[in-house]
Amino acid sequence: MICHLCPRDCGAERTETKAGGVCAMPTGPVLARAMLHSWEEPCLVGEKGAGAVFFSGCSLRCRFCQNGSISQEGFGKAVTPERLREIFRELIADGAACLDLVTPTHFTPAVLEALGTGPWPVPVVWNCGGYESVETLRLLEGRVQVYLPDLKYALEEPAARCSGAGDYFPRARAAVLEMFRQTGPYRMEAGLLRSGVLIRHLQLPGELENTRRVIDWVAETFRPGEVLFSLMSQYTPQPGAEGNLARQLTRAEYRAAVQYMENCGLTEGYTQERTSAREEYTPAFDLRGV
């Protein structure tokens, strides 16, 4: 296919055997791990964990990505849509509270084939970087119950410098609005998120103003009871990081962001303990479950 799935709109040729585009992936799904994952937000985890499927490749080039070996270095194993569907069933049989599809956008047609048209017994979660095409998201309507987008930036400069996507915010803003149009206000049952949008924001060291602008947009756009918001402190410096990206978030930076979030009325959602900023919370990408 000539690919137009993400906002890069690169028009790269991708086939079952030929990788291309910014994501540097073929059309068929490439996976690095499938597992019960306990480090998502509590409303996605349940008793045994979210049924996480980690896809390889990504349309962003975040300099701080904790999953760099799979998002940027291409590690993973190619599987068929039929095998992907089997993996979904295996995770549900193991007690997964949801199907947590991590960075699946560049494999959208194959993921939709694997999901099929019938309902699943647990919510399907589209866990993405927020840099999404509205046209691609419309293909998911009725097939995805929970959207879990990052909202990394509201400012152009850090988006261009840290992720190579100066147009990140207008694209992510439109994407989040489309997600909300599809799901409506979030719905919980017995402490678990059954449908809706849960917006994540990873606070970066030295970028408090960017975090404040993200919070501003969410607070000004959505009324109480419409979306959940998760302010994450788990930033971990990656090899070769420079400047502020070479250090962890300080307690004062995170406290300031939490206070701003509360002052803006974003009280429905999650904050993190600073102990989350540890490398062991990143799964081992060793093809288990694939």
Side-chain angles (χ1 to χ4, degrees):
M1 72 173 179
I2 303 302
C3 190
H4 301 284
L5 288 173
C6 83
R8 299 289 187 187
D9 200 24
C10 61
E13 182 181 2
R14 297 171 59 209
T15 71
E16 290 186 5
T17 58
K18 179 181 179 181
V22 176
C23 66
M25 285 286 130
T27 55
V30 180
L31 312 182
R33 182 79 188 269
M35 61 182 287
L36 294 178
H37 190 32
S38 297
W39 295 109
E40 305 287 33
E41 281 78 4
C43 64
L44 300 173
V45 169
E47 294 182 0
K48 295 189 176 181
V53 179
F54 291 88
F55 293 87
S56 302
C58 185
S59 61
L60 290 171
R61 285 293 175 262
C62 299
R63 295 166 57 190
F64 51 85
C65 183
Q66 292 177 231
N67 299 350
S69 63
I70 67 171
S71 66
Q72 300 178 24
E73 297 172 19
F75 176 78
K77 177 183 177 181
V79 301
T80 65
E82 292 77 17
R83 172 57 189 149
L84 182 56
R85 186 174 179 87
E86 289 177 358
I87 291 170
F88 295 163
R89 288 171 172 161
E90 290 165 4
L91 289 168
I92 291 170
D94 288 340
C98 64
L99 290 176
D100 180 18
L101 311 183
V102 185
T103 320
T105 300
H106 43 293
F107 299 121
T108 296
V111 172
L112 287 174
E113 183 179 345
L115 287 172
T117 58
W120 290 83
V122 298
V124 175
V125 178
W126 199 258
N127 182 342
C128 64
Y131 192 60
E132 304 289 301
S133 160
V134 169
E135 291 73 22
T136 298
L137 289 171
R138 287 176 180 155
L139 300 174
L140 307 175
E141 188 163 5
R143 315 281 285 280
V144 168
Q145 288 72 52
V146 173
Y147 283 102
L148 184 62
D150 289 333
L151 189 52
K152 299 176 186 288
Y153 310 102
L155 299 179
E156 179 179 353
E157 190 279 328
R161 171 169 44 86
C162 297
S163 294
D167 63 341
Y168 179 92
F169 183 57
R171 296 290 194 168
R173 178 178 57 199
V176 171
L177 290 173
E178 170 61 19
M179 294 171 185
F180 181 73
R181 183 196 68 78
Q182 292 184 23
T183 68
Y186 72 87
R187 181 171 61 87
M188 305 278 284
E189 289 181 4
L192 295 178
L193 183 59
R194 304 301 294 180
S195 65
V197 179
L198 197 171
I199 301 169
R200 285 173 164 172
H201 174 69
L202 175 65
Q203 186 179 355
L204 298 177
E207 299 292 346
L208 180 58
E209 186 60 22
N210 178 64
T211 293
R212 286 173 172 157
R213 297 292 78 79
V214 167
I215 291 171
D216 284 343
W217 182 78
V218 176
E220 292 165 4
T221 303
F222 298 103
R223 295 189 296 267
E226 291 192 330
V227 300
L228 294 168
F229 186 77
S230 179
L231 181 64
M232 301 188 295
S233 64
Q234 67 190 49
Y235 176 81
T236 302
Q238 299 302 300
E242 299 177 348
N244 283 325
L245 294 181
R247 65 173 177 84
Q248 289 188 336
L249 201 64
T250 67
R251 294 181 186 278
E253 285 175 314
Y254 191 61
R255 280 199 305 267
V258 170
Q259 186 62 61
Y260 193 82
M261 174 180 163
E262 293 173 351
N263 291 346
C264 289
L266 284 186
T267 57
E268 297 173 79
Y270 303 93
T271 56
Q272 281 186 320
E273 300 292 335
R274 278 179 39 81
T275 53
S276 297
R278 291 157 57 178
E279 293 179 358
E280 58 262 38
Y281 295 139
T282 301
F285 298 119
D286 53 12
L287 303 182
R288 276 183 287 174
V290 174

